[in-house]
Amino acid sequence: MAQSKGTVVLAYSGGLDTSCILVWLKEQGYDVVAYLANIGQKEDFEAARKKALALGSKKVYIEDVSREFVEEFIWPAVQASALYEDRYLLGTALARPCIARKLVEVAQREGAQFVAHGATGKGNDQVRFELSCYALCPKIKVIAPWRLPEFYQRFPGRRELMDYAKKHGIPVPVTPQTPWSMDENLMHISYEAGILENPKSSYLSHLFNACGMMFRGDPDAGPSCPSSLPASAGVPVKVTNTGDGATRSSALELFVYLNDIAGKHGVGRIDIVENRFVGMKSRGIYETPAGTILYHAHLDIEAFTMDREVRKIKQGLSLKFSELVYNGFWHSPECEFLRECIARSQEPVQGTVRLSVFKGQVYILGRESPRSLYNEELVSMNVQGDYEPADATGFININSLRLKEYHRLQSKVTVKQDE
């Protein structure tokens, strides 16, 4: 019997790619330990355990990291109002460093010198997984099959991978008729690849008609659902459904509840073309129900309580934070620094936002806060308050000086050119 090349901990999902990779790693002479993170996806974890063992995994670790995911990764993104390229709420990008952290912990526990993943050689996830692994365990070695010629030349497409699965008795949920890639966690569900690679195609006709499910609800169904959402230091602390009085307070329960409510109304669905870090554009379809509610609620209470100039600086930090997270630099010193800065900015961001969700939309109904910078008397059209309207004349004159000088000098230049 050939000597083992060593132990590799595989980030295992139970899907087509990682199931085939598990068997392939065994073929290459590695002892495989499968690691499956419960990060809120709908999964039969016991069935996944049995499947991994049946495929030859020495051990299977299944850990519920849902609470850590919400509190340590999603909450900082909410505080940051993180949004990549103005639309993507970073559901997958936030999950990868959380999974990688646990992957490395298992590798250290098992004395493994290798970790492996099923991310493709064209995507962002390979970068996110590996930068996190190297940051947390510099001596670790990463096996990325989709970047190895002996692997991708053997499996140039998903059909060859499915043929391999059939040959080795690997049950997989993907068929040639529905060959798209799907990723699910507490934050979102994403769909890409396969028939969705044509940017002209409608995702509704494919995802609804081809598989008859996928999305959580119908945006045209159901009445408006009003709720109140108190926040402290920029993160939610409780949600109350003002219709039936239901309340959730713990981070995980609150997030799951918002997913359920917003999902039923089709909140947070987007179909976008984004710029991957590796340099190509890709089409992705995302559904981020709770994240979308929290994004809008946080923006509202932040604008209500944060100084204007501080908020301008914080918006710049948020843009950089979003890029770093998307590109896989969660565990970088610059991202750690940004998280600390953003958290500091959130100290006054507390209060309650009332909102409703209806037909795919989030509507802000009102807000209140003990740290509000809103002065009703000062802004009123009916009360003068502590403000002298005549002062605005000087304010306007000073600000117009620059504009007057610019256009006066431009006029001189234009006249001289015409002569």
Side-chain angles (χ1 to χ4, degrees):
M1 186 174 180
Q3 185 176 0
S4 169
K5 291 182 178 179
T7 298
V8 55
V9 180
L10 170 66
Y12 181 73
S13 70
L16 174 65
D17 290 34
T18 57
S19 293
C20 291
I21 286 172
L22 194 162
V23 175
W24 183 83
L25 287 169
K26 291 282 295 179
E27 283 184 350
Q28 307 310 303
Y30 293 98
D31 293 323
V32 181
V33 173
Y35 175 74
L36 175 56
N38 176 357
I39 203 160
Q41 70 272 37
K42 294 177 178 65
E43 178 79 56
D44 185 338
F45 292 101
E46 189 53 37
R49 180 193 303 278
K50 292 177 180 178
K51 180 178 178 180
L53 290 171
L55 294 177
S57 181
K58 281 177 56 181
K59 289 184 183 178
V60 180
Y61 285 86
I62 298 177
E63 295 182 339
D64 188 341
V65 296
S66 300
R67 182 183 58 79
E68 294 97 318
F69 181 42
V70 174
E71 295 178 351
E72 300 176 34
F73 294 87
I74 295 177
W75 277 182
V78 170
Q79 287 180 314
S81 300
L83 200 63
Y84 180 71
E85 294 189 335
D86 303 315
R87 292 190 286 179
Y88 174 42
L89 286 164
L90 299 168
T92 299
L94 289 166
R96 295 316 185 220
C98 180
I99 296 171
R101 184 176 70 179
K102 294 294 185 178
L103 187 70
V104 166
E105 289 178 8
V106 171
Q108 292 172 328
R109 202 180 312 165
E110 287 291 319
Q113 64 180 126
F114 302 99
V115 294
H117 60 75
T120 73
K122 289 185 176 181
N124 296 307
D125 280 344
Q126 59 179 337
V127 183
R128 295 164 181 162
F129 273 126
E130 294 181 38
L131 290 183
S132 291
C133 289
Y134 289 136
L136 298 172
C137 186
K139 293 183 179 180
I140 202 74
K141 294 180 175 64
V142 177
I143 300 173
W146 282 115
R147 295 206 306 272
L148 299 175
E150 61 266 33
F151 187 88
Y152 65 72
Q153 288 174 4
R154 183 176 178 182
F155 306 109
R158 296 182 75 78
R159 183 173 295 278
E160 288 80 8
L161 209 59
M162 286 184 275
D163 289 342
Y164 180 81
K166 183 177 180 181
K167 177 181 176 181
H168 289 83
I170 303 171
V172 291
V174 179
T175 68
Q177 288 73 40
T178 57
W180 49 66
S181 175
M182 174 182 168
D183 179 68
E184 180 184 10
N185 60 49
L186 270 174
M187 184 69 165
H188 82 169
I189 302 177
S190 68
Y191 309 87
E192 59 183 7
I195 55 178
L196 302 177
E197 288 175 352
N198 181 349
K200 295 187 296 184
S201 65
S202 167
Y203 74 88
L204 286 174
S205 63
H206 287 309
L207 293 184
F208 280 124
N209 295 339
C211 55
M213 44 161 280
M214 296 302 184
F215 291 106
R216 292 181 170 96
D218 181 353
D220 291 325
S224 174
C225 183
S227 300
S228 68
L229 194 64
S232 178
V235 298
V237 294
K238 184 170 69 172
V239 60
T240 301
N241 187 322
T242 56
D244 61 15
T247 298
R248 302 290 188 277
S249 297
S250 78
L252 182 57
E253 288 182 348
L254 182 156
F255 201 84
V256 170
Y257 182 71
L258 288 178
N259 261 339
D260 181 54
I261 294 295
K264 290 177 180 176
H265 288 266
V267 169
R269 295 180 188 175
I270 58 171
D271 179 348
I272 67 172
V273 173
E274 69 199 59
N275 288 294
R276 287 180 179 170
F277 188 30
V278 295
M280 64 188 76
K281 293 184 184 291
S282 67
R283 192 259 188 106
I285 296 164
Y286 305 106
E287 183 184 20
T288 317
T292 301
I293 282 185
L294 293 175
Y295 176 81
H296 289 290
H298 177 265
L299 277 182
D300 190 79
I301 202 69
E302 184 178 83
F304 195 49
T305 58
M306 186 179 287
D307 174 78
R308 180 186 71 180
E309 297 305 313
V310 172
R311 189 157 186 267
K312 286 180 182 178
I313 295 171
K314 188 260 177 177
Q315 285 175 304
L317 298 179
S318 297
L319 179 62
K320 184 62 178 178
F321 173 86
S322 301
E323 291 177 352
L324 288 173
V325 173
Y326 185 86
N327 293 342
F329 289 92
W330 179 275
H331 293 292
S332 67
E334 62 270 32
C335 195
E336 289 178 1
F337 173 73
L338 279 180
R339 291 199 297 274
E340 290 181 11
C341 292
I342 290 168
R344 171 67 178 82
S345 78
Q346 297 299 291
E347 291 177 6
V349 182
Q350 54 182 274
T352 300
V353 180
R354 290 184 296 107
L355 54 86
S356 69
V357 293
F358 183 57
K359 290 192 174 184
Q361 300 298 315
V362 178
Y363 298 95
I364 303 297
L365 306 177
R367 79 287 298 159
E368 58 183 327
S369 170
R371 301 293 295 272
S372 167
L373 296 179
Y374 182 90
N375 185 330
E376 188 173 351
E377 185 177 90
L378 184 62
V379 79
S380 174
M381 300 292 287
N382 300 314
V383 180
Q384 184 169 319
D386 190 19
Y387 178 78
E388 181 55 61
D391 291 343
T393 301
F395 177 79
I396 294 169
N397 287 338
I398 291 298
N399 277 281
S400 69
L401 179 62
R402 177 177 60 90
L403 305 180
K404 290 176 181 178
E405 286 300 290
Y406 172 79
H407 287 285
R408 181 177 67 81
L409 293 171
Q410 284 293 105
S411 297
K412 283 186 177 181
V413 171
T414 304
V415 170
K416 190 170 284 187
Q417 288 176 343
D418 291 341
E419 289 176 353

